[in-house]
């Protein structure tokens, strides 16, 4: 039996569905029973709890392997404190339940102990799990999520340009979360890893925001769409306007600075093992363009 944290989220849902499709027993863990219903209908066992509750040990009991992540909480006023509480609880549950294998959602940049914004929490999560002696852990250090591009729809519609805190000419590895889920599910099915390992996932290729703006522009009928790097003083209120706490906005800006300066970067050369299939063109066609069209139709 497998236990999946964040089973209703972008990666956890894919992991759960692929394991279920292989006929495996899957325990899906989440805070909202309604969001788990679709997986239950496919044969999963639901376990409703908060990741910091004592019941999380029971959720892991009997599992031969778990999928671990720190569920995002962008509205909290203490992002790093929340991350530490969640990782402490998950590591304690892994230890107390005697879990043998864990596949962990981490991030490019998790090798750094500071100055990478929310990724510092993943660095610490890896470190804590690595201290659990019997555990075999595979840390999947994923690249920048393509899903982070979705707010560009509103920016483009409101201002006629794409914009953000990253340099327009900065090549960034970007990955679709469905590809992370597929790799994680494959690793859980095979359980071929041992000890403590970190593996980067770098998406289909490195892209710049200038290139992304061009791809989006072509897809939505706005050829020549430009990308503008925004100042932190412009980005922070925009992030807060869409629901982030001031603390989370500051950490996002820290991460952007780490990326812009090259402090936070992939360690592995690109290879067949760390390259995944979904291109930025495919993601834009499937996610960005339909949302743009829907928003335009309802305006």
């Amino acid at each position: 039996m497998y236990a999946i944290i964040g089973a209703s989220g972008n990666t956890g849902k894919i992991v759960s569905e692929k394991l279920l499709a292989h006929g495996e027993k899957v325990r899906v863990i989440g805070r909202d029973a309604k969001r788990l219903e679709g997986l239950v209908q496919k044969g999963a066992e639901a376990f409703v709890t908060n990741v910091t509750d004592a019941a999380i040990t029971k959720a892991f009991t009997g599992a031969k392997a778990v999928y671990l992540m720190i569920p995002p909480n962008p509205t909290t006023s203490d992002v790093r404190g929340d991350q530490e509480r969640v990782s402490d609880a998950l590591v304690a549950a892994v230890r107390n339940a005697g879990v043998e294998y864990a596949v962990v959602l981490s991030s490019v940049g998790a090798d750094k102990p500071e100055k990478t914004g929310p990724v510092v929490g993943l660095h610490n999560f890896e470190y804590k799990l690595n201290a659990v002696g019997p555990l075999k852990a595979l840390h999947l250090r994923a690249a920048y999520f393509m899903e982070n591009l979705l707010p560009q729809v509103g920016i483009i519609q409101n201002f006629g340009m794409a914009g953000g805190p990253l340099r327009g000419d900065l090549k960034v590895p970007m990955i679709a979360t469905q590809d992370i889920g597929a790799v994680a599910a494959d690793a859980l099915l095979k359980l071929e890893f041992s000890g403590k390992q970190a593996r980067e996932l770098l998406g289909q290729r490195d892209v710049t925001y200038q290139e992304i703006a061009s791809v989006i522009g072509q897809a939505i009928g706005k050829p020549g769409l430009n990308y503008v790097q925004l100042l932190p003083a412009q980005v922070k209120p925009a992030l807060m306007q869409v629901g982030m706490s001031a603390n989370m906005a500051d950490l996002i800006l820290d991460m952007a600075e780490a990326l812009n300066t090259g402090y936070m970067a992939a360690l592995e050369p690109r290879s067949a093992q760390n390259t995944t299939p979904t291109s930025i063109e495919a993601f834009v066609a499937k996610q960005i363009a339909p949302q743009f069209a829907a928003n335009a139709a309802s305006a």
Side-chain angles (χ1 to χ4, degrees), residues 149-165 209-210 212-214 216-217 220 222-231 234-235 238 292:
L149 299 173
L150 291 172
Q152 292 295 330
V153 172
I155 295 172
I156 294 165
Q157 289 179 318
N158 289 327
F159 302 105
M161 67 178 192
Y209 262 90
Q210 291 168 345
I212 290 165
S214 176
I216 294 175
I220 64 174
K222 293 183 179 294
L225 182 71
N226 290 323
Y227 172 80
V228 177
Q229 182 183 0
L230 303 175
L231 297 172
Q234 296 171 300
V235 175
F292 189 90

PDB file of all heavy atoms in Angstrom, residues 149-165 209-210 212-214 216-217 220 222-231 234-235 238 292:
ATOM      1  N   LEU A 149       3.053  30.122 -14.357  1.00  0.00           N
ATOM      2  CA  LEU A 149       2.791  31.066 -15.444  1.00  0.00           C
ATOM      3  C   LEU A 149       1.315  31.447 -15.538  1.00  0.00           C
ATOM      4  O   LEU A 149       0.971  32.412 -16.227  1.00  0.00           O
ATOM      5  CB  LEU A 149       3.228  30.471 -16.786  1.00  0.00           C
ATOM      6  CG  LEU A 149       4.706  30.131 -16.945  1.00  0.00           C
ATOM      7  CD1 LEU A 149       4.937  29.402 -18.271  1.00  0.00           C
ATOM      8  CD2 LEU A 149       5.558  31.394 -16.878  1.00  0.00           C
ATOM      9  N   LEU A 150       0.432  30.722 -14.879  1.00  0.00           N
ATOM     10  CA  LEU A 150      -1.004  30.959 -15.038  1.00  0.00           C
ATOM     11  C   LEU A 150      -1.434  32.389 -14.677  1.00  0.00           C
ATOM     12  O   LEU A 150      -2.302  32.953 -15.355  1.00  0.00           O
ATOM     13  CB  LEU A 150      -1.802  29.933 -14.225  1.00  0.00           C
ATOM     14  CG  LEU A 150      -1.724  28.493 -14.764  1.00  0.00           C
ATOM     15  CD1 LEU A 150      -2.383  27.518 -13.801  1.00  0.00           C
ATOM     16  CD2 LEU A 150      -2.374  28.392 -16.139  1.00  0.00           C
ATOM     17  N   PRO A 151      -0.848  33.025 -13.653  1.00  0.00           N
ATOM     18  CA  PRO A 151      -1.240  34.416 -13.380  1.00  0.00           C
ATOM     19  C   PRO A 151      -0.905  35.386 -14.506  1.00  0.00           C
ATOM     20  O   PRO A 151      -1.414  36.507 -14.515  1.00  0.00           O
ATOM     21  CB  PRO A 151      -0.436  34.756 -12.111  1.00  0.00           C
ATOM     22  CG  PRO A 151      -0.196  33.437 -11.442  1.00  0.00           C
ATOM     23  CD  PRO A 151      -0.003  32.473 -12.571  1.00  0.00           C
ATOM     24  N   GLN A 152      -0.060  34.958 -15.459  1.00  0.00           N
ATOM     25  CA  GLN A 152       0.247  35.841 -16.585  1.00  0.00           C
ATOM     26  C   GLN A 152      -1.009  36.173 -17.397  1.00  0.00           C
ATOM     27  O   GLN A 152      -1.069  37.217 -18.054  1.00  0.00           O
ATOM     28  CB  GLN A 152       1.297  35.204 -17.502  1.00  0.00           C
ATOM     29  CG  GLN A 152       2.682  35.077 -16.886  1.00  0.00           C
ATOM     30  CD  GLN A 152       3.327  36.417 -16.596  1.00  0.00           C
ATOM     31  OE1 GLN A 152       3.081  37.412 -17.276  1.00  0.00           O
ATOM     32  NE2 GLN A 152       4.156  36.443 -15.558  1.00  0.00           N
ATOM     33  N   VAL A 153      -2.002  35.294 -17.341  1.00  0.00           N
ATOM     34  CA  VAL A 153      -3.242  35.562 -18.082  1.00  0.00           C
ATOM     35  C   VAL A 153      -3.836  36.894 -17.646  1.00  0.00           C
ATOM     36  O   VAL A 153      -4.177  37.753 -18.475  1.00  0.00           O
ATOM     37  CB  VAL A 153      -4.255  34.415 -17.886  1.00  0.00           C
ATOM     38  CG1 VAL A 153      -5.606  34.788 -18.492  1.00  0.00           C
ATOM     39  CG2 VAL A 153      -3.734  33.128 -18.522  1.00  0.00           C
ATOM     40  N   GLY A 154      -3.966  37.071 -16.328  1.00  0.00           N
ATOM     41  CA  GLY A 154      -4.524  38.320 -15.822  1.00  0.00           C
ATOM     42  C   GLY A 154      -3.647  39.515 -16.111  1.00  0.00           C
ATOM     43  O   GLY A 154      -4.146  40.609 -16.438  1.00  0.00           O
ATOM     44  N   ILE A 155      -2.334  39.331 -16.005  1.00  0.00           N
ATOM     45  CA  ILE A 155      -1.401  40.431 -16.278  1.00  0.00           C
ATOM     46  C   ILE A 155      -1.526  40.885 -17.728  1.00  0.00           C
ATOM     47  O   ILE A 155      -1.603  42.084 -18.028  1.00  0.00           O
ATOM     48  CB  ILE A 155       0.047  39.991 -15.974  1.00  0.00           C
ATOM     49  CG1 ILE A 155       0.212  39.716 -14.466  1.00  0.00           C
ATOM     50  CG2 ILE A 155       1.052  41.052 -16.420  1.00  0.00           C
ATOM     51  CD1 ILE A 155       1.540  39.085 -14.106  1.00  0.00           C
ATOM     52  N   ILE A 156      -1.564  39.912 -18.636  1.00  0.00           N
ATOM     53  CA  ILE A 156      -1.662  40.238 -20.065  1.00  0.00           C
ATOM     54  C   ILE A 156      -2.983  40.941 -20.375  1.00  0.00           C
ATOM     55  O   ILE A 156      -3.023  41.933 -21.109  1.00  0.00           O
ATOM     56  CB  ILE A 156      -1.505  38.958 -20.913  1.00  0.00           C
ATOM     57  CG1 ILE A 156      -0.092  38.385 -20.756  1.00  0.00           C
ATOM     58  CG2 ILE A 156      -1.819  39.241 -22.378  1.00  0.00           C
ATOM     59  CD1 ILE A 156       0.049  36.965 -21.253  1.00  0.00           C
ATOM     60  N   GLN A 157      -4.069  40.444 -19.788  1.00  0.00           N
ATOM     61  CA  GLN A 157      -5.372  41.044 -20.080  1.00  0.00           C
ATOM     62  C   GLN A 157      -5.491  42.450 -19.497  1.00  0.00           C
ATOM     63  O   GLN A 157      -6.145  43.311 -20.078  1.00  0.00           O
ATOM     64  CB  GLN A 157      -6.485  40.130 -19.555  1.00  0.00           C
ATOM     65  CG  GLN A 157      -6.612  38.860 -20.391  1.00  0.00           C
ATOM     66  CD  GLN A 157      -7.696  37.921 -19.890  1.00  0.00           C
ATOM     67  OE1 GLN A 157      -7.824  37.719 -18.697  1.00  0.00           O
ATOM     68  NE2 GLN A 157      -8.442  37.337 -20.808  1.00  0.00           N
ATOM     69  N   ASN A 158      -4.851  42.685 -18.357  1.00  0.00           N
ATOM     70  CA  ASN A 158      -4.966  43.994 -17.705  1.00  0.00           C
ATOM     71  C   ASN A 158      -3.970  45.020 -18.241  1.00  0.00           C
ATOM     72  O   ASN A 158      -4.266  46.217 -18.277  1.00  0.00           O
ATOM     73  CB  ASN A 158      -4.777  43.847 -16.192  1.00  0.00           C
ATOM     74  CG  ASN A 158      -5.952  43.160 -15.523  1.00  0.00           C
ATOM     75  OD1 ASN A 158      -7.088  43.313 -15.946  1.00  0.00           O
ATOM     76  ND2 ASN A 158      -5.679  42.387 -14.492  1.00  0.00           N
ATOM     77  N   PHE A 159      -2.789  44.549 -18.653  1.00  0.00           N
ATOM     78  CA  PHE A 159      -1.723  45.495 -18.990  1.00  0.00           C
ATOM     79  C   PHE A 159      -1.166  45.331 -20.415  1.00  0.00           C
ATOM     80  O   PHE A 159      -0.315  46.105 -20.830  1.00  0.00           O
ATOM     81  CB  PHE A 159      -0.571  45.366 -17.982  1.00  0.00           C
ATOM     82  CG  PHE A 159      -1.001  45.608 -16.562  1.00  0.00           C
ATOM     83  CD1 PHE A 159      -1.152  44.557 -15.680  1.00  0.00           C
ATOM     84  CD2 PHE A 159      -1.271  46.891 -16.115  1.00  0.00           C
ATOM     85  CE1 PHE A 159      -1.555  44.770 -14.367  1.00  0.00           C
ATOM     86  CE2 PHE A 159      -1.674  47.127 -14.813  1.00  0.00           C
ATOM     87  CZ  PHE A 159      -1.822  46.059 -13.925  1.00  0.00           C
ATOM     88  N   GLY A 160      -1.610  44.294 -21.118  1.00  0.00           N
ATOM     89  CA  GLY A 160      -1.166  44.117 -22.493  1.00  0.00           C
ATOM     90  C   GLY A 160       0.265  43.649 -22.626  1.00  0.00           C
ATOM     91  O   GLY A 160       0.881  43.798 -23.695  1.00  0.00           O
ATOM     92  N   MET A 161       0.811  43.104 -21.566  1.00  0.00           N
ATOM     93  CA  MET A 161       2.184  42.590 -21.573  1.00  0.00           C
ATOM     94  C   MET A 161       2.285  41.459 -20.559  1.00  0.00           C
ATOM     95  O   MET A 161       1.415  41.305 -19.698  1.00  0.00           O
ATOM     96  CB  MET A 161       3.165  43.702 -21.176  1.00  0.00           C
ATOM     97  CG  MET A 161       2.985  44.134 -19.738  1.00  0.00           C
ATOM     98  SD  MET A 161       4.143  45.389 -19.191  1.00  0.00           S
ATOM     99  CE  MET A 161       3.856  45.331 -17.393  1.00  0.00           C
ATOM    100  N   ALA A 162       3.325  40.646 -20.684  1.00  0.00           N
ATOM    101  CA  ALA A 162       3.667  39.691 -19.635  1.00  0.00           C
ATOM    102  C   ALA A 162       4.673  40.372 -18.711  1.00  0.00           C
ATOM    103  O   ALA A 162       5.450  41.225 -19.143  1.00  0.00           O
ATOM    104  CB  ALA A 162       4.264  38.429 -20.245  1.00  0.00           C
ATOM    105  N   GLY A 163       4.670  40.002 -17.446  1.00  0.00           N
ATOM    106  CA  GLY A 163       5.577  40.655 -16.516  1.00  0.00           C
ATOM    107  C   GLY A 163       5.835  39.825 -15.287  1.00  0.00           C
ATOM    108  O   GLY A 163       5.022  38.968 -14.912  1.00  0.00           O
ATOM    109  N   GLY A 164       6.981  40.055 -14.658  1.00  0.00           N
ATOM    110  CA  GLY A 164       7.334  39.342 -13.443  1.00  0.00           C
ATOM    111  C   GLY A 164       8.693  39.760 -12.931  1.00  0.00           C
ATOM    112  O   GLY A 164       9.363  40.615 -13.535  1.00  0.00           O
ATOM    113  N   PRO A 165       9.160  39.152 -11.843  1.00  0.00           N
ATOM    114  CA  PRO A 165      10.415  39.575 -11.228  1.00  0.00           C
ATOM    115  C   PRO A 165      11.671  38.985 -11.853  1.00  0.00           C
ATOM    116  O   PRO A 165      12.771  39.447 -11.560  1.00  0.00           O
ATOM    117  CB  PRO A 165      10.271  39.100  -9.781  1.00  0.00           C
ATOM    118  CG  PRO A 165       9.408  37.877  -9.888  1.00  0.00           C
ATOM    119  CD  PRO A 165       8.443  38.176 -11.004  1.00  0.00           C
ATOM    120  N   TYR A 209      11.794  34.155 -20.203  1.00  0.00           N
ATOM    121  CA  TYR A 209      10.462  34.765 -20.174  1.00  0.00           C
ATOM    122  C   TYR A 209      10.170  35.513 -21.473  1.00  0.00           C
ATOM    123  O   TYR A 209       9.005  35.656 -21.880  1.00  0.00           O
ATOM    124  CB  TYR A 209      10.309  35.676 -18.957  1.00  0.00           C
ATOM    125  CG  TYR A 209       9.587  34.988 -17.817  1.00  0.00           C
ATOM    126  CD1 TYR A 209      10.286  34.274 -16.858  1.00  0.00           C
ATOM    127  CD2 TYR A 209       8.200  35.033 -17.718  1.00  0.00           C
ATOM    128  CE1 TYR A 209       9.628  33.632 -15.818  1.00  0.00           C
ATOM    129  CE2 TYR A 209       7.526  34.404 -16.689  1.00  0.00           C
ATOM    130  CZ  TYR A 209       8.246  33.705 -15.735  1.00  0.00           C
ATOM    131  OH  TYR A 209       7.584  33.051 -14.714  1.00  0.00           O
ATOM    132  N   GLN A 210      11.203  35.983 -22.152  1.00  0.00           N
ATOM    133  CA  GLN A 210      10.982  36.602 -23.459  1.00  0.00           C
ATOM    134  C   GLN A 210      10.433  35.570 -24.440  1.00  0.00           C
ATOM    135  O   GLN A 210       9.514  35.851 -25.213  1.00  0.00           O
ATOM    136  CB  GLN A 210      12.296  37.192 -23.975  1.00  0.00           C
ATOM    137  CG  GLN A 210      12.787  38.399 -23.187  1.00  0.00           C
ATOM    138  CD  GLN A 210      14.207  38.796 -23.508  1.00  0.00           C
ATOM    139  OE1 GLN A 210      14.964  38.033 -24.112  1.00  0.00           O
ATOM    140  NE2 GLN A 210      14.595  40.000 -23.093  1.00  0.00           N
ATOM    141  N   ILE A 212       8.867  32.787 -23.564  1.00  0.00           N
ATOM    142  CA  ILE A 212       7.535  32.411 -23.078  1.00  0.00           C
ATOM    143  C   ILE A 212       6.491  33.415 -23.553  1.00  0.00           C
ATOM    144  O   ILE A 212       5.402  33.043 -24.004  1.00  0.00           O
ATOM    145  CB  ILE A 212       7.535  32.309 -21.539  1.00  0.00           C
ATOM    146  CG1 ILE A 212       8.348  31.097 -21.092  1.00  0.00           C
ATOM    147  CG2 ILE A 212       6.108  32.211 -20.991  1.00  0.00           C
ATOM    148  CD1 ILE A 212       8.704  31.108 -19.621  1.00  0.00           C
ATOM    149  N   ALA A 213       6.817  34.707 -23.466  1.00  0.00           N
ATOM    150  CA  ALA A 213       5.880  35.738 -23.922  1.00  0.00           C
ATOM    151  C   ALA A 213       5.567  35.561 -25.407  1.00  0.00           C
ATOM    152  O   ALA A 213       4.415  35.712 -25.841  1.00  0.00           O
ATOM    153  CB  ALA A 213       6.453  37.125 -23.657  1.00  0.00           C
ATOM    154  N   SER A 214       6.583  35.223 -26.193  1.00  0.00           N
ATOM    155  CA  SER A 214       6.374  35.007 -27.620  1.00  0.00           C
ATOM    156  C   SER A 214       5.454  33.815 -27.866  1.00  0.00           C
ATOM    157  O   SER A 214       4.539  33.880 -28.701  1.00  0.00           O
ATOM    158  CB  SER A 214       7.720  34.787 -28.308  1.00  0.00           C
ATOM    159  OG  SER A 214       7.544  34.489 -29.676  1.00  0.00           O
ATOM    160  N   ILE A 216       3.217  32.530 -25.751  1.00  0.00           N
ATOM    161  CA  ILE A 216       1.863  32.881 -25.326  1.00  0.00           C
ATOM    162  C   ILE A 216       1.212  33.800 -26.344  1.00  0.00           C
ATOM    163  O   ILE A 216       0.041  33.620 -26.713  1.00  0.00           O
ATOM    164  CB  ILE A 216       1.890  33.550 -23.936  1.00  0.00           C
ATOM    165  CG1 ILE A 216       2.348  32.549 -22.869  1.00  0.00           C
ATOM    166  CG2 ILE A 216       0.509  34.098 -23.580  1.00  0.00           C
ATOM    167  CD1 ILE A 216       2.530  33.150 -21.485  1.00  0.00           C
ATOM    168  N   GLY A 217       1.966  34.800 -26.817  1.00  0.00           N
ATOM    169  CA  GLY A 217       1.419  35.732 -27.794  1.00  0.00           C
ATOM    170  C   GLY A 217       0.904  35.032 -29.038  1.00  0.00           C
ATOM    171  O   GLY A 217      -0.187  35.351 -29.538  1.00  0.00           O
ATOM    172  N   ILE A 220      -2.454  33.146 -28.247  1.00  0.00           N
ATOM    173  CA  ILE A 220      -3.661  33.912 -27.930  1.00  0.00           C
ATOM    174  C   ILE A 220      -3.955  35.002 -28.960  1.00  0.00           C
ATOM    175  O   ILE A 220      -4.820  35.855 -28.755  1.00  0.00           O
ATOM    176  CB  ILE A 220      -3.563  34.547 -26.524  1.00  0.00           C
ATOM    177  CG1 ILE A 220      -2.430  35.579 -26.450  1.00  0.00           C
ATOM    178  CG2 ILE A 220      -3.397  33.469 -25.459  1.00  0.00           C
ATOM    179  CD1 ILE A 220      -2.383  36.352 -25.136  1.00  0.00           C
ATOM    180  N   LYS A 222      -1.853  37.351 -30.060  1.00  0.00           N
ATOM    181  CA  LYS A 222      -1.182  38.626 -29.791  1.00  0.00           C
ATOM    182  C   LYS A 222       0.309  38.500 -30.114  1.00  0.00           C
ATOM    183  O   LYS A 222       1.160  38.555 -29.222  1.00  0.00           O
ATOM    184  CB  LYS A 222      -1.382  39.034 -28.323  1.00  0.00           C
ATOM    185  CG  LYS A 222      -2.807  39.389 -27.948  1.00  0.00           C
ATOM    186  CD  LYS A 222      -2.906  39.843 -26.506  1.00  0.00           C
ATOM    187  CE  LYS A 222      -4.329  40.216 -26.143  1.00  0.00           C
ATOM    188  NZ  LYS A 222      -4.815  41.413 -26.869  1.00  0.00           N
ATOM    189  N   PRO A 223       0.633  38.289 -31.390  1.00  0.00           N
ATOM    190  CA  PRO A 223       2.051  38.163 -31.745  1.00  0.00           C
ATOM    191  C   PRO A 223       2.813  39.431 -31.378  1.00  0.00           C
ATOM    192  O   PRO A 223       2.272  40.537 -31.465  1.00  0.00           O
ATOM    193  CB  PRO A 223       2.016  37.947 -33.266  1.00  0.00           C
ATOM    194  CG  PRO A 223       0.689  38.492 -33.706  1.00  0.00           C
ATOM    195  CD  PRO A 223      -0.247  38.239 -32.576  1.00  0.00           C
ATOM    196  N   GLY A 224       4.034  39.244 -30.958  1.00  0.00           N
ATOM    197  CA  GLY A 224       4.822  40.388 -30.523  1.00  0.00           C
ATOM    198  C   GLY A 224       4.613  40.752 -29.070  1.00  0.00           C
ATOM    199  O   GLY A 224       5.103  41.799 -28.609  1.00  0.00           O
ATOM    200  N   LEU A 225       3.879  39.918 -28.323  1.00  0.00           N
ATOM    201  CA  LEU A 225       3.675  40.169 -26.895  1.00  0.00           C
ATOM    202  C   LEU A 225       5.023  40.308 -26.196  1.00  0.00           C
ATOM    203  O   LEU A 225       5.912  39.479 -26.379  1.00  0.00           O
ATOM    204  CB  LEU A 225       2.879  39.021 -26.272  1.00  0.00           C
ATOM    205  CG  LEU A 225       2.544  39.162 -24.781  1.00  0.00           C
ATOM    206  CD1 LEU A 225       1.499  40.252 -24.550  1.00  0.00           C
ATOM    207  CD2 LEU A 225       2.041  37.820 -24.229  1.00  0.00           C
ATOM    208  N   ASN A 226       5.176  41.337 -25.396  1.00  0.00           N
ATOM    209  CA  ASN A 226       6.443  41.608 -24.711  1.00  0.00           C
ATOM    210  C   ASN A 226       6.409  41.141 -23.267  1.00  0.00           C
ATOM    211  O   ASN A 226       5.345  41.060 -22.648  1.00  0.00           O
ATOM    212  CB  ASN A 226       6.754  43.110 -24.732  1.00  0.00           C
ATOM    213  CG  ASN A 226       7.111  43.599 -26.114  1.00  0.00           C
ATOM    214  OD1 ASN A 226       7.765  42.902 -26.880  1.00  0.00           O
ATOM    215  ND2 ASN A 226       6.676  44.808 -26.442  1.00  0.00           N
ATOM    216  N   TYR A 227       7.603  40.862 -22.731  1.00  0.00           N
ATOM    217  CA  TYR A 227       7.775  40.585 -21.310  1.00  0.00           C
ATOM    218  C   TYR A 227       8.560  41.734 -20.696  1.00  0.00           C
ATOM    219  O   TYR A 227       9.569  42.177 -21.255  1.00  0.00           O
ATOM    220  CB  TYR A 227       8.529  39.277 -21.079  1.00  0.00           C
ATOM    221  CG  TYR A 227       8.894  39.060 -19.621  1.00  0.00           C
ATOM    222  CD1 TYR A 227       7.943  38.573 -18.720  1.00  0.00           C
ATOM    223  CD2 TYR A 227      10.171  39.369 -19.137  1.00  0.00           C
ATOM    224  CE1 TYR A 227       8.253  38.409 -17.381  1.00  0.00           C
ATOM    225  CE2 TYR A 227      10.486  39.194 -17.793  1.00  0.00           C
ATOM    226  CZ  TYR A 227       9.526  38.708 -16.918  1.00  0.00           C
ATOM    227  OH  TYR A 227       9.841  38.537 -15.595  1.00  0.00           O
ATOM    228  N   VAL A 228       8.121  42.193 -19.540  1.00  0.00           N
ATOM    229  CA  VAL A 228       8.781  43.289 -18.825  1.00  0.00           C
ATOM    230  C   VAL A 228       9.158  42.801 -17.435  1.00  0.00           C
ATOM    231  O   VAL A 228       8.303  42.290 -16.699  1.00  0.00           O
ATOM    232  CB  VAL A 228       7.860  44.520 -18.723  1.00  0.00           C
ATOM    233  CG1 VAL A 228       8.543  45.618 -17.906  1.00  0.00           C
ATOM    234  CG2 VAL A 228       7.499  45.030 -20.115  1.00  0.00           C
ATOM    235  N   GLN A 229      10.449  42.943 -17.088  1.00  0.00           N
ATOM    236  CA  GLN A 229      10.865  42.628 -15.724  1.00  0.00           C
ATOM    237  C   GLN A 229      10.391  43.738 -14.802  1.00  0.00           C
ATOM    238  O   GLN A 229      10.674  44.916 -15.019  1.00  0.00           O
ATOM    239  CB  GLN A 229      12.386  42.482 -15.626  1.00  0.00           C
ATOM    240  CG  GLN A 229      12.845  42.101 -14.222  1.00  0.00           C
ATOM    241  CD  GLN A 229      14.356  42.020 -14.094  1.00  0.00           C
ATOM    242  OE1 GLN A 229      15.084  42.244 -15.064  1.00  0.00           O
ATOM    243  NE2 GLN A 229      14.834  41.693 -12.901  1.00  0.00           N
ATOM    244  N   LEU A 230       9.666  43.346 -13.769  1.00  0.00           N
ATOM    245  CA  LEU A 230       9.099  44.313 -12.838  1.00  0.00           C
ATOM    246  C   LEU A 230       9.976  44.458 -11.599  1.00  0.00           C
ATOM    247  O   LEU A 230      10.666  43.512 -11.196  1.00  0.00           O
ATOM    248  CB  LEU A 230       7.687  43.877 -12.423  1.00  0.00           C
ATOM    249  CG  LEU A 230       6.694  43.672 -13.574  1.00  0.00           C
ATOM    250  CD1 LEU A 230       5.383  43.116 -13.041  1.00  0.00           C
ATOM    251  CD2 LEU A 230       6.460  44.977 -14.323  1.00  0.00           C
ATOM    252  N   LEU A 231       9.916  45.611 -10.983  1.00  0.00           N
ATOM    253  CA  LEU A 231      10.654  45.859  -9.757  1.00  0.00           C
ATOM    254  C   LEU A 231       9.968  45.163  -8.585  1.00  0.00           C
ATOM    255  O   LEU A 231       8.739  44.967  -8.594  1.00  0.00           O
ATOM    256  CB  LEU A 231      10.728  47.359  -9.486  1.00  0.00           C
ATOM    257  CG  LEU A 231      11.474  48.205 -10.514  1.00  0.00           C
ATOM    258  CD1 LEU A 231      11.294  49.690 -10.203  1.00  0.00           C
ATOM    259  CD2 LEU A 231      12.943  47.830 -10.535  1.00  0.00           C
ATOM    260  N   GLN A 234       6.895  46.663  -7.366  1.00  0.00           N
ATOM    261  CA  GLN A 234       5.713  46.460  -8.201  1.00  0.00           C
ATOM    262  C   GLN A 234       5.135  45.062  -8.024  1.00  0.00           C
ATOM    263  O   GLN A 234       3.924  44.850  -8.080  1.00  0.00           O
ATOM    264  CB  GLN A 234       6.079  46.669  -9.674  1.00  0.00           C
ATOM    265  CG  GLN A 234       6.534  48.071 -10.028  1.00  0.00           C
ATOM    266  CD  GLN A 234       7.090  48.138 -11.445  1.00  0.00           C
ATOM    267  OE1 GLN A 234       8.055  47.460 -11.779  1.00  0.00           O
ATOM    268  NE2 GLN A 234       6.478  48.979 -12.282  1.00  0.00           N
ATOM    269  N   VAL A 235       6.028  44.080  -7.820  1.00  0.00           N
ATOM    270  CA  VAL A 235       5.601  42.681  -7.756  1.00  0.00           C
ATOM    271  C   VAL A 235       4.897  42.368  -6.437  1.00  0.00           C
ATOM    272  O   VAL A 235       3.865  41.687  -6.418  1.00  0.00           O
ATOM    273  CB  VAL A 235       6.810  41.741  -7.938  1.00  0.00           C
ATOM    274  CG1 VAL A 235       6.394  40.287  -7.740  1.00  0.00           C
ATOM    275  CG2 VAL A 235       7.431  41.947  -9.312  1.00  0.00           C
ATOM    276  N   ALA A 238       1.226  43.158  -6.155  1.00  0.00           N
ATOM    277  CA  ALA A 238       0.471  42.324  -7.103  1.00  0.00           C
ATOM    278  C   ALA A 238       0.282  40.918  -6.551  1.00  0.00           C
ATOM    279  O   ALA A 238      -0.803  40.331  -6.679  1.00  0.00           O
ATOM    280  CB  ALA A 238       1.202  42.279  -8.442  1.00  0.00           C
ATOM    281  N   PHE A 292      -7.199  32.141 -21.073  1.00  0.00           N
ATOM    282  CA  PHE A 292      -7.258  33.489 -21.650  1.00  0.00           C
ATOM    283  C   PHE A 292      -8.573  33.673 -22.403  1.00  0.00           C
ATOM    284  O   PHE A 292      -9.252  34.691 -22.253  1.00  0.00           O
ATOM    285  CB  PHE A 292      -6.070  33.723 -22.570  1.00  0.00           C
ATOM    286  CG  PHE A 292      -5.927  35.136 -23.054  1.00  0.00           C
ATOM    287  CD1 PHE A 292      -5.172  36.052 -22.342  1.00  0.00           C
ATOM    288  CD2 PHE A 292      -6.547  35.547 -24.226  1.00  0.00           C
ATOM    289  CE1 PHE A 292      -5.043  37.369 -22.781  1.00  0.00           C
ATOM    290  CE2 PHE A 292      -6.440  36.848 -24.671  1.00  0.00           C
ATOM    291  CZ  PHE A 292      -5.683  37.764 -23.939  1.00  0.00           C
TER     292      PHE A 292
END
